[in-house]
Amino acid sequence: MLTRHEQVPTGLYVRSVIVVSAFGVGALWLMRRLLDDGLYLLSSAVAAVTIFLVLVYLRRRYSAMRWMAIGIGITVLFAVYPILYNLYIGFTNMGSGHLFTKEQAIERLEDEQYLPQDAPTFRWLGYRKDDSFALLLVSDDGAVQFATDDGSIETLELTDPEAEQPGDINGYRPMATSEVAPMLDELADVAFGEPPTTIRVQSLREAAATVPRYRFDRDADAMVDLTDGTIYQAVEGSFVDADGNALIPGFMTGVGVDNFKRFLTNQNLRGPLTRALVWNFVFAFASVALAFSVGLTVAMLFEDLPGRRWIRALLIVPYPIPVLVSVLIWRSMLNPDLGTIGQFLARVFGSSPQFFLDPTWTRIALIMVNIWLSYPYFYVISSGAMRSISTDMLDAAEVDGASPWQEFRFISLPQILMITMPLLIASFSFNFNNFNLIFIFNNGNPPMAGTVIPIGHTDILISFIYKLAFVSSSTSDYGLGAAISVLLFVVVGSVTYFQIRATKALEAR
Amino acid sequence: MSRRRRSRRSWWWRYLLAALMIGFAALPVLWVVSASLNPAKTLVGATLIPKNPGFGNYDDLINHPSFPFMTWMFNSVKIAVIAVSLTVAITVLAGYALSRFHFAGKKHFMTGILILNVFPAVLSIIALFGLMQQIGDHIPWLGFNSHGGLIAVYVSFGMGINVLMVKAYVDALPRDLDESGLVDGATHGQVFRKIVFPMMRPIVVTVAVLQFFVVYGDFVIARVLLKSTDKLTVMVGLLLFQTLRFEQDWGIITAGAVIAALPVLILYIPVQNYVISGLTAGSVKE
């Protein structure tokens, strides 16, 4: 309607061609580097986004895409790609010890150095220029060399530099011992001098020339240990020698549907996860139903009170406060020994419920806190809905002698429910994945007893995945976590599908 | 609804209920403010009105030797302001285009946004972590442990719902004005700048405020994508604080909670009517 073949003004077009070309060059450079790392999936995603942007901005015809392309590009790279990549991880062994692609693992192993028995050692003094470092090396026979971390080494004519440390050398300034000591670990990782034989800091006094320990034999697809000639063959994500010893790090490799099989057939996983799923539904449903009831009640009761503006402003207090802050406050108020509420309950009933140790009480507390967090939202939307329902039917009902309860039950409530249903369903799917609350309140605890996996009585699926992936770095199993999150995608996707269909059905009426 | 039919006599018990509800709503807030002013460091024996209230906890917090709290505050506000500005810029343009242009596949595109919108970012957190490591090897300011990367993730995941809200708003604006502008020979850019954008103020404010809540309040993504202590956001910092020294330094933690909540309150109070009508608009379809 509005536009037909409108052209982009020349000035704007020239500018966009320049920007797009610069962007394209940067993207090509990045893609090249990513391919070197063996990241083919990411590289293709970058390529797709680049081609899309170039096509959109190099056409002179004015189109809707010109207005949206940058947003689409960012979203594809940082939201859509992660979802797809997550799917891919679900089919790999990614996890502790298998974090890198094969190319990255080889590079890291080839970086590893070792100290041959007869290696020359030096005493050293540290030098620094901004973020780069250098060593002044004194060998046993008194020869002095200056080695930098960007690959250069030169011999200096100095006598006994240790007695009197020379000042600036080639723009590097000497470091005091007090400056060197705290960063010794950092310095130990830096290679000084010319590769392949590089010089590394061994201790506060000593440095030594080290050589690479491993070399990758591309034809044999194996790492060779140069110290003793052991061959480590690449098998299923690790480099393994004849005795079965694996090098660290291993690398990522496809494992087919193993992760899914492990999850779906493992009794140890399935029992606890079924319980988590049931609680997940109960939590989401109870939270929405109760918070909506509170919100609606508040809206009905206070909507026509004089001064309702003030009442509303005060009742919405919880809404803007960051969830983390609110839940931390509730956590401490409910602390059975020290919290205000805990102490109050202890005084009234003799003892306070264990809000963090007893599964049932933890669940009750979670739902109560969630009501506090979300009733202001439901209050706002249901008072909006109330204003939009017709009063004719209410007037008619009153004439017919209906009680206020009957008016509410049979006239107001059905209409309010119909208007707010899409939002209620949306809230359900939000709470189905309400990671924040579960995680901060008690991290899914108390833990279930007798399970082999880290899962608690109040864990919902999404918090369980997070635990599995990030709880302890020594046992992270990203592959399994990703596989479960793919299954959760399916659950969330179906809920959404019904949400969209229900919304459409409601709108059609 | 039936405003005129209720009698004045039933007011008192409704005021009583209102007072109770307000108590429920405000108690945690009063409590945290009181605890932060209480010079006793622990929870033990804390009363709602502290003895000898003072700002000692705030002093201790700001000058804490190992936790740079004010740096965290600065990081959070900086990240939120940049991410929200980008989100607003992108969604305002996209919303206008989706409302005023017709193009092939528009319907599928909208469905795509809707679907993307329901997938929580936490679900792909493992992939995000990997992605950021991989990018960070080559572009450090956009990778793991960088504010740039975090902002990019916030902007991407903030697109969905906000684009749809802006589009719905622009749909409801009268088209006569911008059509007459186009007839008079103005370009789309000019029509947007001079005519449509000035009318979009309410939706811009709503999107900005709601998105600020989301970004500023996030700790899940930030916790995984940031590592160095001096790069953390205040929410991640608070969480760290709380895990490390819960009962010992209770006064400091509550002071931190109060300061951390301030930016959103400062932002929210002047514009609360916009936000409330923005939320209500979702429930009231004409």
Side-chain angles (χ1 to χ4, degrees), chain A residues 15-322:
Chain A
R15 251 179 292 160
S16 48
V17 169
I18 294 170
V19 173
V20 164
S21 317
F23 173 79
V25 172
L28 279 176
W29 171 83
L30 178 63
M31 272 147 54
R32 177 68 216 283
R33 305 284 300 261
L34 293 175
L35 283 177
D36 284 348
D37 282 351
L39 300 165
Y40 307 113
L41 200 63
L42 179 55
S43 192
S44 356
V46 174
V49 168
T50 310
I51 292 170
F52 169 72
L53 288 177
V54 167
L55 284 182
V56 167
Y57 287 108
L58 286 191
R59 284 170 70 196
R60 279 211 73 169
R61 243 191 59 205
Y62 214 100
S63 72
M65 281 302 156
R66 273 191 94 82
W67 294 71
M68 305 192 292
I70 294 174
I72 295 174
I74 296 178
T75 307
V76 166
L77 220 47
F78 292 96
V80 178
Y81 169 76
I83 291 174
L84 298 177
Y85 183 48
N86 198 61
L87 181 68
Y88 166 75
I89 294 173
F91 293 95
T92 69
N93 64 345
M94 188 177 175
S96 328
H98 303 276
L99 284 174
F100 306 112
T101 64
K102 195 167 172 184
E103 277 73 10
Q104 288 170 318
I106 291 169
E107 195 185 309
R108 273 168 169 86
L109 285 170
E110 284 188 333
D111 261 2
E112 237 171 76
Q113 302 278 320
Y114 84 107
L115 188 62
Q117 295 250 306
D118 53 350
T121 59
F122 310 90
R123 291 180 305 283
W124 62 276
L125 295 165
Y127 278 76
R128 168 171 207 172
K129 182 163 71 182
D130 301 323
D131 278 341
S132 58
F133 298 94
L135 300 183
L136 184 70
L137 300 161
V138 184
S139 60
D140 294 336
D141 56 12
V144 182
Q145 288 174 301
F146 190 70
T148 62
D149 61 2
D150 52 11
S152 83
I153 186 160
E154 59 176 304
T155 309
L156 300 180
E157 299 296 331
L158 286 172
T159 45
D160 200 11
E162 282 169 293
E164 191 182 345
Q165 186 169 14
D168 289 9
I169 302 177
N170 301 341
Y172 288 84
R173 64 169 179 79
M175 291 165 80
T177 313
S178 58
E179 190 182 355
V180 170
M183 49 195 320
L184 204 57
D185 282 347
E186 201 180 315
L187 282 175
D189 287 338
V190 182
F192 294 94
E194 234 171 324
T197 306
T198 56
I199 292 149
R200 302 220 176 204
V201 170
Q202 302 292 320
S203 69
L204 198 51
R205 298 246 143 266
E206 200 178 59
T210 58
V211 293
R213 172 153 188 192
Y214 300 102
R215 195 175 53 77
F216 183 62
D217 185 343
R218 216 158 268 283
D219 298 328
D221 194 21
M223 294 304 288
V224 183
D225 187 337
L226 298 174
T227 55
D228 53 8
T230 318
I231 291 173
Y232 292 87
Q233 198 68 39
V235 192
E236 288 174 1
S238 301
F239 293 105
V240 194
D241 71 4
D243 300 332
N245 301 315
L247 292 180
I248 292 171
F251 52 91
M252 268 172 85
T253 185
V255 293
V257 293
D258 272 13
N259 291 321
F260 294 89
K261 240 196 263 170
R262 256 201 302 160
F263 170 63
L264 293 170
T265 58
N266 188 336
Q267 278 296 333
N268 293 330
L269 281 176
R270 210 169 40 186
L273 276 167
T274 316
R275 280 153 77 190
L277 184 66
V278 172
W279 157 242
N280 203 343
F281 274 103
V282 171
F283 167 74
F285 186 80
S287 296
V288 174
L290 294 173
F292 175 68
S293 309
V294 173
L296 178 62
T297 311
V298 167
M300 307 274 310
L301 283 175
F302 308 144
E303 207 49 21
D304 57 338
L305 276 186
R308 73 196 150 90
R309 208 171 269 266
W310 283 99
I311 296 176
R312 189 177 74 172
L314 288 170
L315 282 176
I316 296 179
V317 162
Y319 184 71
I321 299 174

Side-chain angles (χ1 to χ4, degrees), chain B residues 233-251:
Chain B
T233 63
V234 69
M235 291 300 147
V236 181
L238 267 185
L239 200 63
L240 188 74
F241 226 147
Q242 194 263 349
T243 343
L244 291 183
R245 15 201 341 131
F246 176 52
E247 272 148 29
Q248 300 92 319
D249 272 342
W250 185 240

